[in-house]
Amino acid sequence: MKAFSYIRFSSDKQAYGDSTRRQSELAQKYCQQNGLILDTSVTWHDLGVSAFKGGNAEFGALAAFLKACDAGLIPSKSYLLVESLDRITRARWQKALSIFMDILSRNITLVTLHDNRKYDSNSDYMDIVYALIVLQRSWEESETKSRRSNAAHAQKRKMAVENKTPMTLVCPAWLEYKEGKYQLKIDDAETVKLIYELYA
């Protein structure tokens, strides 16, 4: 029986951490313990892709995996291994459940490696209810983070207007914040202009 590992993380910063290695090792270990062949001929990775709005299931590697199932490139009854359900989606429960069921409806067994739970087209309704609770909790976590981030951004914008200061000192390399305003770095700006002129 074949198994495929789906790896996803949201932030580019996580690429420098342990996320990919950890998820890969969990998949390898599960296959060894359960007599599965881990197919690595194609990598199903959405690295630095958020699943909060379900984009990975619409145009990412997860979407490509589902299309490969429809095209008969993924054998029926194969396993899809994920660290946890929030790797698949962090969308609100209606959309999350749709993505979850899209996988099962293709006769794929979905395994969450952190708790060794299996979901397939024969799962009983209590398994689906449990999955739905986990999926909704993942959305709530992301929603809370998003709301806090937006509030912090709004506060920075408000302070910038009130104090007549920039929201951030980070700017393009040919600019610098000096004497209360952004100013051109003449040499660097000339280089950028030259690049455009040469390209044109």
Side-chain angles (χ1 to χ4, degrees):
M1 195 73 72
K2 280 192 173 185
F4 301 86
S5 174
Y6 174 68
I7 294 174
R8 186 197 67 77
F9 52 75
S10 300
S11 168
D12 290 338
K13 293 179 181 178
Q14 291 174 283
Y16 301 102
D18 197 43
S19 188
T20 301
R21 182 205 60 78
R22 185 184 68 250
Q23 293 182 59
S24 296
E25 286 189 359
L26 284 171
Q28 292 166 3
K29 184 178 179 181
Y30 185 87
C31 288
Q32 290 168 0
Q33 293 175 342
N34 293 275
L36 300 173
I37 299 170
L38 183 61
D39 190 319
T40 57
S41 59
V42 178
T43 55
W44 307 99
H45 297 176
D46 279 318
L47 309 182
V49 177
S50 173
F52 185 34
K53 295 183 179 178
N56 60 319
E58 294 177 7
F59 53 79
L62 183 58
F65 178 83
L66 296 177
K67 288 178 182 177
C69 290
D70 294 339
L73 301 175
I74 304 294
S76 180
K77 298 183 180 179
S78 292
Y79 282 60
L80 180 63
L81 310 179
V82 298
E83 184 179 35
S84 55
L85 288 178
D86 65 359
R87 297 298 177 188
I88 290 173
T89 181
R90 281 182 169 268
R92 198 167 187 174
W93 72 266
Q94 296 94 329
K95 189 168 187 176
L97 183 61
S98 175
I99 293 169
F100 176 79
M101 295 306 297
D102 278 348
I103 296 169
L104 303 192
S105 68
R106 288 164 169 83
N107 208 14
I108 297 295
T109 298
L110 178 63
V111 175
T112 50
L113 299 169
H114 81 103
D115 58 5
N116 283 341
R117 293 184 75 100
K118 290 169 60 176
Y119 305 92
D120 58 31
S121 56
N122 295 316
S123 292
D124 64 33
Y125 78 96
M126 286 306 297
D127 288 331
I128 305 304
V129 169
Y130 175 82
L132 183 57
I133 292 170
V134 173
L135 291 166
Q136 176 65 6
R137 188 174 66 231
S138 296
W139 174 80
E140 288 172 355
E141 290 172 356
S142 291
E143 173 69 9
T144 298
K145 288 178 185 176
S146 176
R147 190 167 58 249
R148 288 174 180 167
S149 177
N150 290 339
H153 190 75
Q155 181 63 19
K156 285 176 71 175
R157 188 166 53 245
K158 179 183 175 185
M159 294 298 293
V161 171
E162 290 177 356
N163 300 326
K164 296 183 179 179
T165 57
M167 286 181 60
T168 176
L169 297 181
V170 177
C171 57
W174 58 89
L175 293 176
E176 60 182 339
Y177 189 74
K178 196 174 177 181
E179 298 175 356
K181 60 182 179 180
Y182 290 109
Q183 299 184 32
L184 282 177
K185 294 180 182 176
I186 301 301
D187 290 344
D188 293 340
E190 288 301 320
T191 301
V192 174
K193 287 168 66 177
L194 178 61
I195 290 170
Y196 274 85
E197 287 169 5
L198 292 172
Y199 180 78

Short mmCIF file of all heavy atoms in Angstrom, two decimals, residues 63-115:
data_model
loop_
_atom_site.label_atom_id
_atom_site.label_comp_id
_atom_site.label_asym_id
_atom_site.label_seq_id
_atom_site.Cartn_x
_atom_site.Cartn_y
_atom_site.Cartn_z
N ALA A 63 -4.10 20.89 -3.56
CA ALA A 63 -4.99 20.91 -4.73
C ALA A 63 -4.44 20.00 -5.83
O ALA A 63 -5.19 19.26 -6.48
CB ALA A 63 -5.15 22.33 -5.25
N ALA A 64 -3.11 20.05 -6.02
CA ALA A 64 -2.48 19.21 -7.04
C ALA A 64 -2.63 17.73 -6.69
O ALA A 64 -2.83 16.89 -7.58
CB ALA A 64 -1.00 19.58 -7.18
N PHE A 65 -2.54 17.41 -5.41
CA PHE A 65 -2.71 16.02 -4.98
C PHE A 65 -4.12 15.52 -5.30
O PHE A 65 -4.30 14.40 -5.82
CB PHE A 65 -2.44 15.90 -3.47
CG PHE A 65 -2.64 14.51 -2.93
CD1 PHE A 65 -1.62 13.57 -3.03
CD2 PHE A 65 -3.83 14.14 -2.33
CE1 PHE A 65 -1.80 12.27 -2.55
CE2 PHE A 65 -4.02 12.85 -1.84
CZ PHE A 65 -3.00 11.92 -1.94
N LEU A 66 -5.12 16.34 -5.02
CA LEU A 66 -6.50 15.95 -5.31
C LEU A 66 -6.73 15.77 -6.81
O LEU A 66 -7.43 14.84 -7.24
CB LEU A 66 -7.46 16.99 -4.74
CG LEU A 66 -7.45 17.15 -3.21
CD1 LEU A 66 -8.39 18.27 -2.78
CD2 LEU A 66 -7.82 15.84 -2.53
N LYS A 67 -6.11 16.64 -7.61
CA LYS A 67 -6.22 16.50 -9.07
C LYS A 67 -5.53 15.22 -9.54
O LYS A 67 -6.00 14.54 -10.47
CB LYS A 67 -5.61 17.71 -9.76
CG LYS A 67 -6.45 18.97 -9.63
CD LYS A 67 -5.78 20.16 -10.31
CE LYS A 67 -6.61 21.44 -10.14
NZ LYS A 67 -5.93 22.62 -10.73
N ALA A 68 -4.41 14.89 -8.91
CA ALA A 68 -3.70 13.64 -9.26
C ALA A 68 -4.55 12.42 -8.92
O ALA A 68 -4.53 11.42 -9.65
CB ALA A 68 -2.36 13.60 -8.52
N CYS A 69 -5.30 12.50 -7.83
CA CYS A 69 -6.23 11.42 -7.49
C CYS A 69 -7.29 11.27 -8.58
O CYS A 69 -7.59 10.16 -9.03
CB CYS A 69 -6.91 11.71 -6.15
SG CYS A 69 -5.84 11.61 -4.70
N ASP A 70 -7.85 12.40 -9.01
CA ASP A 70 -8.90 12.38 -10.03
C ASP A 70 -8.38 11.85 -11.36
O ASP A 70 -9.13 11.25 -12.14
CB ASP A 70 -9.47 13.79 -10.23
CG ASP A 70 -10.20 14.30 -8.99
OD1 ASP A 70 -10.61 13.46 -8.16
OD2 ASP A 70 -10.34 15.53 -8.85
N ALA A 71 -7.09 12.10 -11.62
CA ALA A 71 -6.50 11.66 -12.89
C ALA A 71 -6.03 10.20 -12.83
O ALA A 71 -5.52 9.67 -13.82
CB ALA A 71 -5.32 12.57 -13.25
N GLY A 72 -6.18 9.56 -11.69
CA GLY A 72 -5.77 8.17 -11.54
C GLY A 72 -4.28 8.00 -11.30
O GLY A 72 -3.76 6.88 -11.39
N LEU A 73 -3.58 9.09 -10.99
CA LEU A 73 -2.14 9.01 -10.75
C LEU A 73 -1.83 8.57 -9.32
O LEU A 73 -0.73 8.12 -9.03
CB LEU A 73 -1.48 10.37 -11.02
CG LEU A 73 -1.67 10.91 -12.44
CD1 LEU A 73 -1.08 12.32 -12.56
CD2 LEU A 73 -1.01 9.98 -13.46
N ILE A 74 -2.79 8.74 -8.43
CA ILE A 74 -2.67 8.27 -7.05
C ILE A 74 -3.55 7.03 -6.91
O ILE A 74 -4.76 7.11 -7.14
CB ILE A 74 -3.13 9.35 -6.05
CG1 ILE A 74 -2.35 10.65 -6.26
CG2 ILE A 74 -2.98 8.84 -4.62
CD1 ILE A 74 -0.88 10.57 -5.95
N PRO A 75 -2.97 5.88 -6.57
CA PRO A 75 -3.78 4.66 -6.46
C PRO A 75 -4.89 4.78 -5.42
O PRO A 75 -4.72 5.43 -4.38
CB PRO A 75 -2.74 3.60 -6.02
CG PRO A 75 -1.42 4.16 -6.41
CD PRO A 75 -1.54 5.64 -6.29
N SER A 76 -6.02 4.18 -5.72
CA SER A 76 -7.12 4.14 -4.77
C SER A 76 -6.67 3.44 -3.49
O SER A 76 -5.84 2.53 -3.53
CB SER A 76 -8.30 3.38 -5.39
OG SER A 76 -9.38 3.33 -4.50
N LYS A 77 -7.19 3.86 -2.36
CA LYS A 77 -6.88 3.33 -1.03
C LYS A 77 -5.47 3.69 -0.55
O LYS A 77 -4.97 3.09 0.40
CB LYS A 77 -7.07 1.81 -0.99
CG LYS A 77 -8.50 1.38 -1.25
CD LYS A 77 -8.66 -0.12 -1.13
CE LYS A 77 -10.10 -0.54 -1.41
NZ LYS A 77 -10.27 -2.01 -1.32
N SER A 78 -4.84 4.66 -1.21
CA SER A 78 -3.55 5.14 -0.73
C SER A 78 -3.75 5.92 0.57
O SER A 78 -4.87 6.32 0.91
CB SER A 78 -2.89 6.05 -1.77
OG SER A 78 -2.50 5.33 -2.91
N TYR A 79 -2.64 6.15 1.26
CA TYR A 79 -2.66 6.90 2.51
C TYR A 79 -2.09 8.30 2.27
O TYR A 79 -1.10 8.45 1.57
CB TYR A 79 -1.81 6.21 3.57
CG TYR A 79 -2.46 5.02 4.24
CD1 TYR A 79 -2.87 3.91 3.50
CD2 TYR A 79 -2.67 5.01 5.61
CE1 TYR A 79 -3.47 2.82 4.11
CE2 TYR A 79 -3.27 3.92 6.25
CZ TYR A 79 -3.67 2.83 5.49
OH TYR A 79 -4.26 1.76 6.10
N LEU A 80 -2.72 9.30 2.87
CA LEU A 80 -2.17 10.65 2.89
C LEU A 80 -1.80 10.95 4.33
O LEU A 80 -2.66 10.95 5.22
CB LEU A 80 -3.19 11.67 2.38
CG LEU A 80 -2.72 13.12 2.36
CD1 LEU A 80 -1.51 13.31 1.41
CD2 LEU A 80 -3.85 14.07 1.95
N LEU A 81 -0.52 11.19 4.57
CA LEU A 81 0.00 11.38 5.92
C LEU A 81 0.23 12.86 6.20
O LEU A 81 0.94 13.52 5.44
CB LEU A 81 1.31 10.60 6.10
CG LEU A 81 1.29 9.13 5.66
CD1 LEU A 81 2.66 8.51 5.88
CD2 LEU A 81 0.21 8.34 6.39
N VAL A 82 -0.36 13.35 7.28
CA VAL A 82 -0.19 14.74 7.67
C VAL A 82 0.12 14.78 9.16
O VAL A 82 -0.30 13.91 9.92
CB VAL A 82 -1.43 15.60 7.36
CG1 VAL A 82 -1.71 15.62 5.86
CG2 VAL A 82 -2.65 15.10 8.13
N GLU A 83 0.85 15.80 9.58
CA GLU A 83 1.18 15.90 11.00
C GLU A 83 -0.09 16.06 11.83
O GLU A 83 -0.25 15.41 12.87
CB GLU A 83 2.13 17.07 11.24
CG GLU A 83 2.58 17.17 12.69
CD GLU A 83 3.56 18.32 12.91
OE1 GLU A 83 3.41 19.37 12.25
OE2 GLU A 83 4.46 18.16 13.73
N SER A 84 -0.99 16.92 11.39
CA SER A 84 -2.25 17.16 12.08
C SER A 84 -3.23 17.76 11.09
O SER A 84 -2.85 18.17 9.99
CB SER A 84 -2.04 18.10 13.28
OG SER A 84 -1.42 19.29 12.85
N LEU A 85 -4.49 17.81 11.47
CA LEU A 85 -5.51 18.29 10.54
C LEU A 85 -5.31 19.75 10.15
O LEU A 85 -5.70 20.17 9.06
CB LEU A 85 -6.91 18.11 11.14
CG LEU A 85 -7.42 16.66 11.22
CD1 LEU A 85 -8.78 16.62 11.88
CD2 LEU A 85 -7.47 16.03 9.84
N ASP A 86 -4.67 20.54 11.03
CA ASP A 86 -4.47 21.94 10.67
C ASP A 86 -3.43 22.13 9.58
O ASP A 86 -3.27 23.23 9.05
CB ASP A 86 -4.14 22.79 11.90
CG ASP A 86 -2.82 22.43 12.55
OD1 ASP A 86 -2.14 21.49 12.08
OD2 ASP A 86 -2.46 23.07 13.55
N ARG A 87 -2.69 21.08 9.22
CA ARG A 87 -1.79 21.16 8.07
C ARG A 87 -2.60 21.19 6.78
O ARG A 87 -2.20 21.79 5.78
CB ARG A 87 -0.82 19.98 8.04
CG ARG A 87 0.12 19.91 9.22
CD ARG A 87 1.00 21.12 9.29
NE ARG A 87 1.87 21.09 10.46
CZ ARG A 87 2.63 22.11 10.84
NH1 ARG A 87 2.63 23.23 10.17
NH2 ARG A 87 3.38 22.02 11.90
N ILE A 88 -3.76 20.56 6.79
CA ILE A 88 -4.62 20.52 5.61
C ILE A 88 -5.39 21.82 5.44
O ILE A 88 -5.47 22.37 4.35
CB ILE A 88 -5.60 19.33 5.70
CG1 ILE A 88 -4.83 18.03 5.54
CG2 ILE A 88 -6.70 19.42 4.66
CD1 ILE A 88 -5.67 16.82 5.78
N THR A 89 -5.96 22.29 6.53
CA THR A 89 -6.73 23.52 6.46
C THR A 89 -6.90 24.16 7.82
O THR A 89 -6.93 23.47 8.85
CB THR A 89 -8.13 23.27 5.85
OG1 THR A 89 -8.84 24.51 5.78
CG2 THR A 89 -8.93 22.27 6.66
N ARG A 90 -6.97 25.49 7.80
CA ARG A 90 -7.35 26.26 8.98
C ARG A 90 -8.54 27.15 8.63
O ARG A 90 -8.79 28.16 9.29
CB ARG A 90 -6.17 27.11 9.47
CG ARG A 90 -5.15 26.33 10.29
CD ARG A 90 -4.03 27.20 10.79
NE ARG A 90 -3.20 26.51 11.77
CZ ARG A 90 -3.38 26.53 13.08
NH1 ARG A 90 -4.39 27.22 13.58
NH2 ARG A 90 -2.58 25.88 13.90
N ALA A 91 -9.25 26.76 7.59
CA ALA A 91 -10.43 27.52 7.18
C ALA A 91 -11.57 27.28 8.18
O ALA A 91 -11.52 26.37 9.00
CB ALA A 91 -10.86 27.09 5.78
N ARG A 92 -12.60 28.12 8.08
CA ARG A 92 -13.76 27.97 8.95
C ARG A 92 -14.42 26.62 8.69
O ARG A 92 -14.26 26.03 7.63
CB ARG A 92 -14.74 29.11 8.70
CG ARG A 92 -15.75 29.29 9.82
CD ARG A 92 -16.48 30.59 9.70
NE ARG A 92 -17.31 30.82 10.87
CZ ARG A 92 -17.98 31.93 11.09
NH1 ARG A 92 -17.92 32.93 10.22
NH2 ARG A 92 -18.73 32.07 12.17
N TRP A 93 -15.19 26.12 9.66
CA TRP A 93 -15.59 24.72 9.66
C TRP A 93 -16.31 24.27 8.39
O TRP A 93 -16.11 23.15 7.93
CB TRP A 93 -16.44 24.39 10.89
CG TRP A 93 -17.83 24.94 10.91
CD1 TRP A 93 -18.26 26.10 11.45
CD2 TRP A 93 -18.99 24.31 10.34
NE1 TRP A 93 -19.62 26.26 11.27
CE2 TRP A 93 -20.09 25.16 10.61
CE3 TRP A 93 -19.22 23.11 9.67
CZ2 TRP A 93 -21.39 24.86 10.20
CZ3 TRP A 93 -20.50 22.80 9.26
CH2 TRP A 93 -21.58 23.67 9.52
N GLN A 94 -17.13 25.16 7.79
CA GLN A 94 -17.86 24.74 6.58
C GLN A 94 -16.89 24.39 5.46
O GLN A 94 -17.00 23.33 4.82
CB GLN A 94 -18.82 25.85 6.12
CG GLN A 94 -19.93 26.18 7.10
CD GLN A 94 -19.56 27.33 8.01
OE1 GLN A 94 -18.41 27.54 8.34
NE2 GLN A 94 -20.58 28.10 8.42
N LYS A 95 -15.93 25.28 5.22
CA LYS A 95 -14.96 25.04 4.15
C LYS A 95 -13.99 23.93 4.55
O LYS A 95 -13.61 23.09 3.73
CB LYS A 95 -14.20 26.33 3.85
CG LYS A 95 -13.31 26.25 2.62
CD LYS A 95 -12.82 27.63 2.22
CE LYS A 95 -12.08 27.58 0.89
NZ LYS A 95 -11.69 28.93 0.44
N ALA A 96 -13.59 23.92 5.83
CA ALA A 96 -12.66 22.91 6.31
C ALA A 96 -13.24 21.51 6.16
O ALA A 96 -12.56 20.58 5.71
CB ALA A 96 -12.32 23.17 7.77
N LEU A 97 -14.51 21.36 6.51
CA LEU A 97 -15.15 20.06 6.39
C LEU A 97 -15.24 19.62 4.93
O LEU A 97 -15.06 18.45 4.61
CB LEU A 97 -16.56 20.10 7.02
CG LEU A 97 -17.31 18.76 7.02
CD1 LEU A 97 -16.54 17.71 7.82
CD2 LEU A 97 -18.72 18.95 7.59
N SER A 98 -15.50 20.58 4.04
CA SER A 98 -15.57 20.28 2.61
C SER A 98 -14.23 19.76 2.10
O SER A 98 -14.17 18.77 1.36
CB SER A 98 -15.98 21.54 1.84
OG SER A 98 -15.96 21.30 0.45
N ILE A 99 -13.12 20.42 2.51
CA ILE A 99 -11.79 19.98 2.09
C ILE A 99 -11.48 18.59 2.66
O ILE A 99 -10.98 17.71 1.95
CB ILE A 99 -10.73 21.01 2.56
CG1 ILE A 99 -10.92 22.33 1.82
CG2 ILE A 99 -9.31 20.46 2.35
CD1 ILE A 99 -10.11 23.49 2.40
N PHE A 100 -11.81 18.40 3.91
CA PHE A 100 -11.60 17.11 4.60
C PHE A 100 -12.35 15.99 3.86
O PHE A 100 -11.79 14.93 3.55
CB PHE A 100 -12.08 17.25 6.04
CG PHE A 100 -12.02 15.99 6.86
CD1 PHE A 100 -10.82 15.54 7.39
CD2 PHE A 100 -13.18 15.27 7.12
CE1 PHE A 100 -10.77 14.39 8.16
CE2 PHE A 100 -13.15 14.11 7.87
CZ PHE A 100 -11.94 13.67 8.41
N MET A 101 -13.62 16.23 3.54
CA MET A 101 -14.43 15.21 2.88
C MET A 101 -14.01 15.01 1.43
O MET A 101 -14.16 13.91 0.88
CB MET A 101 -15.91 15.59 2.95
CG MET A 101 -16.48 15.61 4.37
SD MET A 101 -16.22 14.07 5.30
CE MET A 101 -17.18 12.91 4.31
N ASP A 102 -13.47 16.06 0.79
CA ASP A 102 -12.95 15.92 -0.57
C ASP A 102 -11.85 14.86 -0.63
O ASP A 102 -11.74 14.12 -1.61
CB ASP A 102 -12.38 17.26 -1.08
CG ASP A 102 -13.46 18.17 -1.61
OD1 ASP A 102 -14.60 17.70 -1.80
OD2 ASP A 102 -13.16 19.36 -1.84
N ILE A 103 -11.03 14.81 0.40
CA ILE A 103 -9.95 13.83 0.46
C ILE A 103 -10.53 12.43 0.64
O ILE A 103 -10.20 11.50 -0.10
CB ILE A 103 -8.97 14.16 1.60
CG1 ILE A 103 -8.28 15.50 1.33
CG2 ILE A 103 -7.93 13.05 1.78
CD1 ILE A 103 -7.50 16.04 2.51
N LEU A 104 -11.41 12.27 1.62
CA LEU A 104 -11.98 10.95 1.90
C LEU A 104 -12.82 10.42 0.74
O LEU A 104 -12.83 9.21 0.48
CB LEU A 104 -12.84 11.01 3.18
CG LEU A 104 -12.18 11.49 4.46
CD1 LEU A 104 -13.08 11.20 5.66
CD2 LEU A 104 -10.82 10.86 4.66
N SER A 105 -13.50 11.32 0.04
CA SER A 105 -14.37 10.89 -1.07
C SER A 105 -13.59 10.31 -2.23
O SER A 105 -14.15 9.63 -3.09
CB SER A 105 -15.22 12.07 -1.56
OG SER A 105 -14.40 13.05 -2.20
N ARG A 106 -12.29 10.55 -2.27
CA ARG A 106 -11.43 9.99 -3.32
C ARG A 106 -10.82 8.64 -2.91
O ARG A 106 -9.86 8.17 -3.48
CB ARG A 106 -10.33 10.99 -3.67
CG ARG A 106 -10.87 12.19 -4.47
CD ARG A 106 -9.91 13.34 -4.50
NE ARG A 106 -10.29 14.37 -5.46
CZ ARG A 106 -11.18 15.33 -5.23
NH1 ARG A 106 -11.80 15.40 -4.05
NH2 ARG A 106 -11.47 16.23 -6.15
N ASN A 107 -11.42 8.04 -1.89
CA ASN A 107 -10.98 6.73 -1.38
C ASN A 107 -9.53 6.78 -0.89
O ASN A 107 -8.75 5.87 -1.12
CB ASN A 107 -11.15 5.64 -2.45
CG ASN A 107 -11.37 4.28 -1.82
OD1 ASN A 107 -11.66 4.17 -0.63
ND2 ASN A 107 -11.22 3.23 -2.62
N ILE A 108 -9.20 7.88 -0.22
CA ILE A 108 -7.89 8.07 0.38
C ILE A 108 -8.04 7.95 1.90
O ILE A 108 -8.99 8.50 2.48
CB ILE A 108 -7.32 9.46 0.03
CG1 ILE A 108 -7.09 9.59 -1.48
CG2 ILE A 108 -6.03 9.75 0.79
CD1 ILE A 108 -6.03 8.67 -2.04
N THR A 109 -7.13 7.25 2.53
CA THR A 109 -7.10 7.18 3.99
C THR A 109 -6.22 8.30 4.51
O THR A 109 -5.04 8.38 4.16
CB THR A 109 -6.55 5.82 4.47
OG1 THR A 109 -7.41 4.77 4.03
CG2 THR A 109 -6.46 5.79 6.00
N LEU A 110 -6.79 9.17 5.31
CA LEU A 110 -6.08 10.30 5.87
C LEU A 110 -5.61 9.95 7.28
O LEU A 110 -6.41 9.51 8.11
CB LEU A 110 -7.00 11.52 5.90
CG LEU A 110 -6.46 12.81 6.49
CD1 LEU A 110 -5.28 13.34 5.67
CD2 LEU A 110 -7.56 13.87 6.57
N VAL A 111 -4.31 10.13 7.52
CA VAL A 111 -3.74 9.81 8.83
C VAL A 111 -3.14 11.07 9.44
O VAL A 111 -2.37 11.77 8.77
CB VAL A 111 -2.64 8.73 8.71
CG1 VAL A 111 -1.98 8.48 10.07
CG2 VAL A 111 -3.23 7.43 8.17
N THR A 112 -3.51 11.35 10.69
CA THR A 112 -2.86 12.44 11.43
C THR A 112 -1.80 11.82 12.32
O THR A 112 -2.10 11.01 13.21
CB THR A 112 -3.88 13.24 12.27
OG1 THR A 112 -4.69 12.34 13.04
CG2 THR A 112 -4.79 14.04 11.36
N LEU A 113 -0.55 12.19 12.08
CA LEU A 113 0.59 11.49 12.67
C LEU A 113 0.81 11.81 14.14
O LEU A 113 1.39 11.00 14.87
CB LEU A 113 1.85 11.81 11.86
CG LEU A 113 1.80 11.38 10.39
CD1 LEU A 113 2.97 11.97 9.61
CD2 LEU A 113 1.81 9.85 10.29
N HIS A 114 0.37 12.97 14.58
CA HIS A 114 0.63 13.33 15.98
C HIS A 114 -0.20 12.49 16.95
O HIS A 114 0.16 12.34 18.12
CB HIS A 114 0.39 14.83 16.21
CG HIS A 114 -1.05 15.19 16.40
ND1 HIS A 114 -1.60 15.47 17.62
CD2 HIS A 114 -2.06 15.29 15.50
CE1 HIS A 114 -2.89 15.75 17.47
NE2 HIS A 114 -3.19 15.65 16.21
N ASP A 115 -1.32 11.92 16.46
CA ASP A 115 -2.15 11.08 17.34
C ASP A 115 -2.50 9.73 16.70
O ASP A 115 -3.26 8.94 17.27
CB ASP A 115 -3.43 11.81 17.73
CG ASP A 115 -4.27 12.25 16.52
OD1 ASP A 115 -3.89 11.90 15.38
OD2 ASP A 115 -5.28 12.95 16.72
#
